[in-house]
């Protein structure tokens, strides 16, 4: 009875916050935007037994709209800081202006370590990596290219030409990264044979705002990725599913799921790592749980960096960092 009451309280609070967010005139960084999204994240972070699939249809619809609002707000936040960074002569020397840069450093280190565990000696380090949904501030690609995969070429895909233009401006002054960071303005669903050339493909959390859209992308990747190549994507668990779509291992037809990690701290996203199966989809599907049992042990018991809160006083941090820089 207690868990049902807790679930009802949680859902009611999320709906109240959604109602306020939906009435905002803009989702660009501001005090009101920051406050509401901070409240939302703090509400959804605590471990919860809530099963999103069992919630009433009207709550499901609110969740779907809320995920899209979160995506829009994150996009505005990244665009804001990408514009700010572009004002510096060497933008990559000032990435710490972005308030969550240290989180990206930790996240990228974790993903690098996990990738190195799953790649064979023959395929490590990867020669070509694709990041789908790179956005105007492609920090994951930048950090991995700068500190971990220093010989790898990164192909960044985004459907928004303005986002790619902003991102390109950040790396243009750097002679090394400008050579190894390539930006493609296209819908990933229109990319076919090129997908066969990548050793690793990252799928951003905001590519596919609901599970139907996301799985269309995943199945497209499964159709064209080379067997043995790696797909890394993010999911959500419990109440955190109000913030991001949920991807279950059994959804990844055509891939062998290597590991899934559900954080229980202030990290928002779960992490799903899979390998394009050399087998047909049905056979690969039968092996998913077997793969999980074998490989979950390599994941740290407490992972704080798989994803991070994006709405913690960004404007205050920006002002502080600019004061230091000056």
């Amino acid at each position: 009875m207690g868990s049902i009451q807790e679930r009802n309280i949680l859902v009611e609070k999320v709906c109240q916050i959604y109602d306020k967010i939906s009435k905002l005139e803009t989702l660009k960084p501001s005090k009101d935007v920051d406050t509401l999204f901070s409240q939302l994240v703090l509400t959804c972070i605590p471990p919860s037994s809530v099963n999103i699939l069992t919630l009433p249809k009207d709550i499901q619809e609110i969740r779907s709209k809320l995920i899209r609002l979160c995506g829009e707000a994150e996009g505005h936040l990244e665009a804001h800081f990408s514009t700010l960074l572009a004002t510096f002569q060497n933008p990559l020397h000032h990435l710490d202006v972005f308030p969550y840069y240290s989180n990206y450093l930790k996240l990228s280190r974790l993903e690098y370590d996990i990738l190195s565990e799953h790649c064979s000696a023959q395929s490590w380090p990867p020669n070509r990596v694709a990041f789908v949904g790179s956005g105007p501030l492609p920090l994951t690609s930048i950090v991995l290219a700068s500190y971990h995969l220093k010989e790898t070429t990164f192909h960044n895909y985004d459907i928004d030409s303005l986002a790619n233009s902003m991102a390109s401006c950040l790396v243009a002054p750097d002679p090394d990264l400008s050579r190894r960071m390539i930006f493609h303005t296209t819908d990933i669903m229109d990319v076919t044979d090129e997908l066969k050339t990548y050793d690793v493909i990252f799928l951003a959390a905001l590519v596919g705002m609901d599970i139907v859209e996301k799985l269309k992308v995943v199945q497209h990747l499964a159709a064209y990725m080379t067997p043995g190549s790696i797909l890394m994507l993010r999911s959500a668990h419990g109440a955190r599913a109000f913030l991001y779509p949920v991807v279950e291992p059994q959804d990844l037809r055509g891939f062998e799921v290597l590991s899934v990690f559900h954080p229980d701290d202030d990290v928002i996203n779960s992490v799903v790592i899979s390998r394009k199966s050399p087998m047909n989809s049905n056979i690969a599907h039968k092996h998913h749980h077997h793969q999980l049992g074998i490989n979950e042990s390599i994941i740290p018991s407490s992972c704080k960096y798989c994803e991070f809160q994006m709405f913690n006083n960004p404007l205050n941090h920006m002002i502080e960092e600019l004061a230091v820089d000056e």
Side-chain angles (χ1 to χ4, degrees):
M1 184 64 69
S3 62
I4 295 177
Q5 184 177 8
E6 290 174 4
R7 184 199 69 179
N8 292 340
I9 292 173
L10 167 70
V11 171
E12 182 179 1
K13 188 170 183 179
V14 169
C15 289
Q16 289 173 350
I17 297 172
Y18 160 76
D19 186 59
K20 294 178 182 178
I21 290 175
S22 65
K23 293 176 181 177
L24 291 170
E25 292 184 3
T26 177
L27 294 179
K28 294 180 179 180
S30 69
K31 182 178 179 180
D32 288 342
V33 171
D34 172 64
T35 298
L36 287 173
F37 278 102
S38 292
Q39 290 175 0
L40 177 64
V41 171
L42 291 173
T43 298
C44 296
I45 277 181
S48 171
S49 60
V50 63
N51 183 347
I52 295 296
L53 297 178
T54 65
L55 295 177
K57 183 178 179 181
D58 60 331
I59 305 300
Q60 298 273 12
E61 291 174 353
I62 286 175
R63 172 187 171 245
S64 178
K65 293 175 182 176
L66 191 54
I67 288 174
R68 293 181 184 276
L69 290 172
C70 288
E72 183 180 344
E74 287 192 27
H76 283 309
L77 185 67
E78 291 189 7
H80 177 86
F81 281 97
S82 183
T83 301
L84 174 65
L85 283 165
T87 64
F88 294 105
Q89 184 175 357
N90 294 296
L92 299 188
H93 295 173
H94 302 277
L95 293 177
D96 55 358
V97 166
F98 187 67
Y100 309 104
Y101 178 59
S102 62
N103 295 82
Y104 272 99
L105 291 175
K106 296 169 184 175
L107 169 63
S108 298
R109 177 70 206 196
L110 174 67
E111 291 180 327
Y112 170 80
D113 289 342
I114 293 174
L115 273 174
S116 66
E117 289 281 354
H118 288 298
C119 291
S120 65
Q122 292 80 7
S123 60
W124 188 259
N127 291 320
R128 289 164 57 91
V129 168
F131 196 100
V132 181
S134 49
L137 189 61
L139 282 178
T140 297
S141 293
I142 289 173
V143 172
L144 284 172
S146 298
Y147 299 107
H148 305 300
L149 298 172
K150 298 182 179 181
E151 302 297 326
T152 301
T153 300
F154 285 77
H155 289 255
N156 300 281
Y157 287 86
D158 203 286
I159 200 169
D160 186 343
S161 60
L162 179 59
N164 274 336
S165 177
M166 296 170 73
S168 182
C169 285
L170 299 182
V171 302
D174 187 282
D176 176 38
L177 261 61
S178 61
R179 177 180 59 86
R180 293 192 293 120
M181 294 274 286
I182 300 167
F183 296 91
H184 304 272
T185 300
T186 184
D187 187 334
I188 198 63
M189 300 295 285
D190 295 329
V191 183
T192 55
D193 290 342
E194 186 73 11
L195 296 174
K196 295 181 173 69
T197 68
Y198 300 118
D199 305 300
V200 180
I201 295 181
F202 286 81
L203 186 62
L206 299 178
V207 174
M209 291 293 193
D210 62 41
I211 190 58
V212 174
E213 293 176 7
K214 189 174 289 289
L215 291 186
K216 285 181 180 178
V217 176
V218 170
Q219 289 307 299
H220 178 73
L221 297 177
Y224 291 99
M225 286 174 65
T226 296
S229 58
I230 297 292
L231 173 66
M232 297 189 69
L233 54 80
R234 298 189 179 110
S235 180
H237 185 65
R240 301 162 192 226
F242 281 107
L243 307 174
Y244 291 102
V246 175
V247 181
E248 300 289 356
Q250 59 267 28
D251 293 329
L252 300 182
R253 298 298 182 95
F255 292 92
E256 299 173 73
V257 176
L258 303 174
S259 60
V260 179
F261 182 72
H262 298 305
D264 58 6
D265 52 17
D266 59 353
V267 176
I268 297 175
N269 278 98
S270 304
V271 177
V272 183
I273 305 168
S274 61
R275 177 180 289 125
K276 176 63 185 352
S277 177
M279 305 171 284
N280 66 54
S281 297
N282 292 331
I283 296 176
H285 175 62
K286 294 177 182 178
H287 285 272
H288 280 158
H289 292 291
H290 178 63
Q291 289 293 331
L292 284 169
I294 291 175
N295 296 293
E296 272 188 326
S297 61
I298 72 156
I299 302 298
S301 59
S302 178
C303 161
K304 300 183 185 297
Y305 313 118
C306 302
E307 188 62 70
F308 41 87
Q309 185 175 336
M310 293 294 290
F311 303 101
N312 185 21
N313 297 324
L315 296 183
N316 290 344
H317 280 282
M318 179 189 75
I319 293 169
E320 292 170 4
E321 292 291 351
L322 285 175
V324 171
D325 189 73
E326 291 174 352

